[in-house]
Amino acid sequence: LTRRQGVTNVPTLMYAYGGFGIPVLPAYVANVGVAWLERGGAYVEANIRGGGEFGPAWSDTARKGGRLKAYEDLEAVADDLSHQGLVAPDRLGLFGRSNGGLLVGNMLARSPHRFGALVGEVPLLDMRIYHRLLAGASWIAEYGDPDDPIDWEHLRQMSPY
């Protein structure tokens, strides 16, 4: 959580990715700093399972049939921010792109009450046909194969479309 010291319940933007073993590490992001933090907002990077922040075992836990763990982690981060009195749900916005857009879509379908705003850029939303999209076939190792009945059982649970 990045914010001005001692400030609570300000508009807060949360970013998450949680996939493909890609870590979301602390870094200065100019547009967040200038456009958001300097204007009084707060910023959260959620390190959820599926990402590479804590090694391969952390990432592998949220692959294929374990993907719902990433969504549960994201819900837990939102809940914790609220329970600690840092931000009310109606002041919390979630932003994600690509796989992070899939997170956003799932939060809209699963728990919209946890967020005041949801923004998904280039979201992957239809898990029934994703493998037919451009590079989609290369994502089967991460999500599973929608044409495989066993994989489809967990894919349909994470398809907000």
Side-chain angles (χ1 to χ4, degrees):
L1 172 63
T2 304
R3 62 189 168 132
R4 291 187 178 164
Q5 191 170 356
V7 174
T8 59
N9 205 29
V10 296
T12 301
L13 178 62
M14 181 172 14
Y15 173 77
Y17 187 75
F20 296 90
I22 297 172
V24 175
L25 301 174
Y28 180 76
V29 181
N31 61 346
V32 170
V34 173
W36 191 249
L37 297 174
E38 287 186 11
R39 294 180 180 173
Y43 181 71
V44 174
E45 287 181 345
N47 297 135
I48 59 176
R49 284 177 280 188
E53 296 85 3
F54 303 106
W58 176 259
S59 178
D60 291 347
T61 302
R63 280 209 168 98
K64 294 188 174 182
R67 175 61 56 184
L68 296 180
K69 299 278 187 220
Y71 310 142
E72 293 164 0
D73 287 354
L74 190 57
E75 290 165 337
V77 172
D79 289 346
D80 189 55
L81 291 168
S82 177
H83 291 305
Q84 287 190 51
L86 298 171
V87 63
D90 65 334
R91 301 196 69 149
L92 179 61
L94 175 63
F95 169 74
R97 62 176 64 96
S98 189
N99 180 69
L102 177 59
L103 288 168
V104 170
N106 270 275
M107 292 305 101
L108 178 61
R110 290 170 53 110
S111 53
H113 62 281
R114 288 183 166 97
F115 302 94
L118 295 160
V119 177
E121 270 190 7
V122 292
L124 176 62
L125 297 175
D126 188 346
M127 301 309 289
R128 187 68 177 141
I129 64 162
Y130 85 85
H131 62 311
R132 296 183 194 132
L133 306 172
L134 301 174
S138 67
W139 306 331
I140 288 175
E142 182 75 10
Y143 299 122
D145 184 349
D147 293 332
D148 178 327
I150 294 170
D151 283 352
W152 176 242
E153 283 305 306
H154 73 264
L155 283 165
R156 69 179 183 79
Q157 295 177 44
M158 60 184 248
S159 185
Y161 185 74

